[in-house]
Amino acid sequence: MPKWNVRRRPGRMLGLLLLVILSLLVLRRYLHLQPGGCDLEVARRVNWHRLTPLWLRHRRLGLQAKGQNFMLEDSAFWIFGGSVHYFRVPREYWRDRLLKVKACGLNTLTTYVPWNLHEPERGKFDFSGNVDLEAFVLLAAEVGLWVILRPGPYICSEMDLGGLPSWLLQDPDMRLRTTYKGFTEAVDLYFDHLMVRVVPLQYKHGGPIIAVQVENEYGSYNKDPAYMPYVKKALEDRGIVELLLTSDNKDGLSKGIVDGVLATINLQPQNELQFLTTFLLSVQGVQPRMVMECWTGWFDSWGGPHSILDSAEVLKTVSAIINAGSSINLYMFHGGTNFGFINGAMHFQDYKSDVTSYDYDAVLTEAGDYTAKYTGLREFFGSVSGAPLPAPPDLLPKTAYEPVMPALYLSLWDALPYLEEPVTSEKPVNMENLPINGGNGQSFGYTLYETTITSSGILSAYVRDRGQVFVNTVSIGFLDYKREKVVIPSIQGFTMLRILVENRGQVNYGTNIDDQRKGLIGNIYLNDSPLKKFKIYSLDMKKSFFQRFHADKWNPVPDVPVFPAFFSGPLFVSLSPCDTFVKLEGWEKGVVFINGQNLGCYWNIGPQETLYLPGAWLDQGLNQVIVFEEKMAGPVIQFTETPYLGRHQYLN
């Protein structure tokens, strides 16, 4: 039973409620506290949100911005927050991660809400399983955390298209994050379904949500001055009554402010704090200060270094923010994993896709383990809270399972007859506009384009993001952002030309999000003549994708496999399943599936060298491991207790 819900307590507790309130009034007078004061030493002595049990609070005013302080009802309140994204953590581990937030001395959880996962097809909504937002928020309340919700519609979050559904891009005139009718109509429908779930979870309705963010970092985008007022009204019209916030970084702060909404800031180096707070004072007067995103680390891109931010530097920044009288949210407290194909990308000078791990060098590791940052921050927040902190939960056990030798094999070419009927088209069609999935196109994964050619020459195409070119079943090269031409060798007669295109992630930040259509974009040319008559296969690799590969379709692994191909082998778990990490030494690039769960992409260019496999997704006994490999298979699939990032073992 959630302890914050006063309506579920017996009526005889009302007398106790009055007694506690009276005691607090007396105690406050005794300590000479002023509600509008911003005295850190007072905060160290008296932690108001702990003095009153959550279920005894008289919920009338909620979180307010008064003077330079936040007030929760009539008490000064500091927000000590941490970000955890429910969609990046196995549901079975939500409680573990939130207990670790609480044990670090934080009082507030923040989370984004990913539109693309909640409405994967237009008008079809999913709030179940690992995207059960209501269950996550209620669990936060049960653990004793307040919640700041960041529902978007755009969230960035290093997520594919910033969390916007790719089917929006079926409209050739789409203008995302503006008041373009095609976008706002879709937002309105989504908010209709989302907010009916969120409204009862607000503080004034007995829930833990004390504030809601209006979109995300719009000042860095700033394409439509009417857009942010539209989002604000869309929230309010649907029953959002708690404090509204915006958040922007240094570059976007001046353009992201909205009338009637409290502006907060995002930063990493503490030397930006004074500039940003001075600017906020000049534009919105004396208001509570909050760093909505105090970056505890950073994300990684394929082929780049592993980002590391020293724990001493993080602690120094956090201490400076708190001592300046500002509330804070740690982004990320726990990053988790871009399971499946949900990772985003950046594209400024060069296109760079994000890795599967969202470890972020955060306070907790990708697998939820403690770090030096956790130890230092727990000590710091413990000194600020003025009350003993709960004991941190024990770590979840890890193990290194015996290597799996793939026993079965199915080349992509042999698998094609078992897939859904291909789309036939005179010209290439980009992923988002394929007439599949109820007319919603393809959001993630690979797409295979086939046609016939009768001559050699220069093949040229606009491919997004990476296309492996085959003559029949022989790979002859790649097309991508830097390579737009491939030489077709001499052929005889009618020959099958195939291009396997991978969507490596739609950009999540920047002004070019309207141009994120994937696959073959426009015509493909051979010697400057457009090719015609295509068969197009969707390889989205959902769970249903593999249900077509019955046992009798697989073959023993040959001495010389033909690629791309699927490899399968059994992982035997004799005892209770434990977390582990998949290590694919000798393999080049592909995707790993365990019992139908997509663990994400691997690539030997690094920096990520292992994939996190939650024990919660394993069964005692036999488990099916499937690897889709594009070019080169290793002899075995290995498992290790420790992740490897940046070609160095990650040490806590």
Side-chain angles (χ1 to χ4, degrees):
M1 179 184 297
K3 58 185 178 182
W4 43 264
N5 195 334
V6 68
R7 291 172 293 182
R8 299 192 181 196
R9 292 281 171 173
R12 60 186 177 184
M13 298 304 291
L14 291 177
L16 178 59
L17 172 61
L18 294 174
L19 179 61
V20 170
I21 293 173
L22 180 61
S23 299
L24 289 176
L25 293 174
V26 172
L27 177 60
R28 187 209 242 155
R29 176 167 297 202
Y30 175 77
L31 291 174
H32 306 292
L33 278 176
Q34 297 298 318
C38 190
D39 188 337
L40 184 63
E41 290 307 310
V42 168
R44 292 181 186 277
R45 291 199 306 270
V46 180
N47 186 348
W48 288 106
H49 85 278
R50 291 180 182 276
L51 284 176
T52 307
L54 301 184
W55 58 270
L56 281 178
R57 284 206 175 274
H58 178 59
R59 293 167 181 249
R60 182 172 56 89
L61 301 174
L63 186 69
Q64 310 149 76
K66 284 194 174 181
Q68 57 187 349
N69 266 7
F70 285 113
M71 304 290 293
L72 190 56
E73 295 303 331
D74 60 351
S75 300
F77 182 74
W78 271 262
I79 298 170
F80 299 147
S83 290
V84 181
H85 300 152
Y86 56 101
F87 49 93
R88 283 184 163 123
V89 181
R91 181 170 180 158
E92 296 86 347
Y93 295 162
W94 286 353
R95 181 180 295 273
D96 172 80
R97 306 309 195 250
L98 297 187
L99 287 172
K100 289 170 179 173
V101 172
K102 185 74 173 177
C104 195
L106 305 183
N107 58 24
T108 303
L109 168 74
T110 69
T111 187
Y112 283 127
V113 181
W115 181 5
N116 56 350
L117 300 186
H118 287 299
E119 193 181 359
E121 296 182 14
R122 190 185 294 267
K124 293 185 178 180
F125 297 90
D126 184 5
F127 290 90
S128 64
N130 228 89
V131 290
D132 190 338
L133 171 64
E134 294 159 282
F136 186 68
V137 171
L138 290 170
L139 182 59
E142 183 181 332
V143 168
L145 294 168
W146 301 112
V147 174
I148 295 177
L149 199 69
R150 308 175 77 185
Y154 163 89
I155 61 174
C156 183
S157 186
E158 289 72 59
M159 190 179 192
D160 189 87
L161 204 59
L164 301 174
S166 65
W167 45 257
L168 289 166
L169 295 175
Q170 291 181 330
D171 180 350
D173 300 318
M174 177 57 65
R175 297 195 300 277
L176 301 172
R177 305 184 73 191
T178 70
T179 52
Y180 172 68
K181 184 179 179 181
F183 184 67
T184 57
E185 286 180 345
V187 172
D188 287 341
L189 178 62
Y190 169 55
F191 272 12
D192 286 344
H193 285 262
L194 173 63
M195 295 309 158
V196 74
R197 292 169 167 81
V198 170
V199 165
L201 301 174
Q202 294 180 102
Y203 175 92
K204 293 185 181 71
H205 295 292
I209 297 176
I210 57 174
V212 176
Q213 183 172 298
V214 181
E215 237 257 359
N216 189 59
E217 293 184 325
Y218 195 72
S220 301
Y221 193 71
N222 193 39
K223 286 195 174 183
D224 184 348
Y227 177 67
M228 288 293 277
Y230 153 74
V231 177
K232 174 177 180 283
K233 186 175 187 299
L235 293 170
E236 293 174 334
D237 286 351
R238 289 165 176 80
I240 297 301
V241 295
E242 305 300 338
L243 182 69
L244 295 179
L245 309 167
T246 61
S247 69
D248 284 282
N249 59 23
K250 181 179 179 180
D251 295 333
L253 184 59
S254 62
K255 299 174 182 177
I257 293 173
V258 183
D259 288 342
V261 179
L262 182 70
T264 68
I265 57 180
N266 303 335
L267 59 81
Q268 186 173 80
Q270 67 179 72
N271 58 16
E272 292 183 356
L273 180 63
Q274 185 57 51
F275 167 80
L276 294 174
T277 53
T278 299
F279 176 81
L280 285 179
L281 180 65
S282 69
V283 296
Q284 66 180 15
V286 178
Q287 294 278 7
R289 290 170 291 180
M290 180 170 181
V291 177
M292 177 60 75
E293 293 186 11
C294 175
W295 297 320
T296 61
W298 205 244
F299 59 93
D300 294 340
S301 299
W302 286 115
H306 172 50
S307 299
I308 296 175
L309 183 60
D310 184 71
S311 58
E313 183 66 24
V314 171
L315 187 59
K316 184 179 177 182
T317 300
V318 170
S319 178
I321 291 170
I322 301 298
N323 283 305
S326 175
S327 286
I328 191 171
N329 176 60
L330 302 173
Y331 189 99
M332 294 293 298
F333 184 86
H334 170 54
T337 309
N338 292 317
F339 293 116
F341 300 113
I342 67 171
N343 63 283
M346 302 292 280
H347 193 179
F348 294 106
Q349 286 75 28
D350 296 313
Y351 173 86
K352 297 179 179 179
S353 61
D354 301 335
V355 302
T356 298
S357 172
Y358 200 60
D359 176 88
Y360 208 84
D361 196 37
V363 183
L364 295 178
T365 70
E366 179 182 12
D369 293 339
Y370 301 116
T371 66
K373 291 174 185 174
Y374 187 95
T375 303
L377 289 168
R378 172 176 157 81
E379 182 178 346
F380 173 77
F381 284 114
S383 69
V384 171
S385 69
L389 299 182
D394 293 335
L395 294 180
L396 298 177
K398 312 287 187 300
T399 194
Y401 293 107
E402 289 297 315
V404 168
M405 180 175 292
L408 300 174
Y409 155 91
L410 185 64
S411 78
L412 175 60
W413 319 123
D414 291 337
L416 293 181
Y418 312 128
L419 303 182
E420 292 187 4
E421 283 293 315
V423 172
T424 57
S425 175
E426 187 71 10
K427 297 180 179 180
V429 180
N430 61 286
M431 289 185 182
E432 294 77 12
N433 285 97
L434 288 173
I436 59 175
N437 295 322
N440 289 276
Q442 181 179 341
S443 297
F444 306 114
Y446 297 78
T447 304
L448 178 67
Y449 297 82
E450 287 187 349
T451 189
T452 55
I453 57 175
T454 58
S455 64
S456 60
I458 304 297
L459 185 76
S460 59
Y462 189 66
V463 175
R464 295 295 177 263
D465 296 302
R466 186 175 188 262
Q468 190 173 1
V469 182
F470 299 86
V471 172
N472 293 323
T473 61
V474 178
S475 176
I476 62 169
F478 287 89
L479 295 167
D480 56 24
Y481 289 88
K482 294 183 178 180
R483 296 171 290 191
E484 295 186 354
K485 298 180 186 296
V486 167
V487 176
I488 303 293
S490 295
I491 59 174
Q492 293 182 347
F494 285 91
T495 302
M496 183 72 72
L497 176 73
R498 290 162 159 154
I499 305 177
L500 179 64
V501 181
E502 179 194 11
N503 172 358
R504 290 174 50 200
Q506 295 170 318
V507 298
N508 53 264
Y509 183 84
T511 57
N512 59 341
I513 59 174
D514 291 340
D515 303 321
Q516 289 304 298
R517 294 164 185 86
K518 301 296 186 178
L520 289 182
I521 312 300
N523 283 317
I524 180 169
Y525 297 89
L526 180 59
N527 298 328
D528 297 326
S529 295
L531 297 176
K532 306 288 186 180
K533 299 186 184 305
F534 286 85
K535 285 185 177 180
I536 308 171
Y537 294 85
S538 171
L539 309 175
D540 53 14
M541 301 193 188
K542 301 174 183 176
K543 280 190 176 182
S544 59
F545 179 87
F546 291 104
Q547 291 171 359
R548 295 173 172 270
F549 298 173
H550 300 296
D552 61 339
K553 306 296 191 295
W554 295 84
N555 302 301
V557 178
D559 292 336
V560 183
V562 175
F563 293 95
F566 300 92
F567 296 82
S568 178
L571 169 62
F572 184 75
V573 177
S574 58
L575 302 174
S576 295
C578 296
D579 287 4
T580 190
F581 297 88
V582 183
K583 185 172 176 60
L584 290 140
E585 192 169 350
W587 303 70
E588 184 166 315
K589 185 177 186 299
V591 191
V592 177
F593 305 84
I594 303 287
N595 297 331
Q597 295 275 6
N598 187 334
L599 300 188
C601 303
Y602 65 90
W603 197 353
N604 66 357
I605 65 173
Q608 181 175 352
E609 297 186 19
T610 55
L611 289 173
Y612 174 49
L613 170 51
W617 289 356
L618 292 172
D619 300 323
Q620 189 169 355
L622 286 177
N623 298 265
Q624 184 186 43
V625 183
I626 294 178
V627 178
F628 175 67
E629 168 59 48
E630 295 180 21
K631 284 201 70 177
M632 181 175 68
V636 296
I637 303 162
Q638 298 172 287
F639 301 89
T640 175
E641 296 181 24
T642 313
Y644 288 76
L645 293 168
R647 305 198 182 279
H648 295 286
Q649 188 172 357
Y650 188 92
L651 299 177
N652 297 341

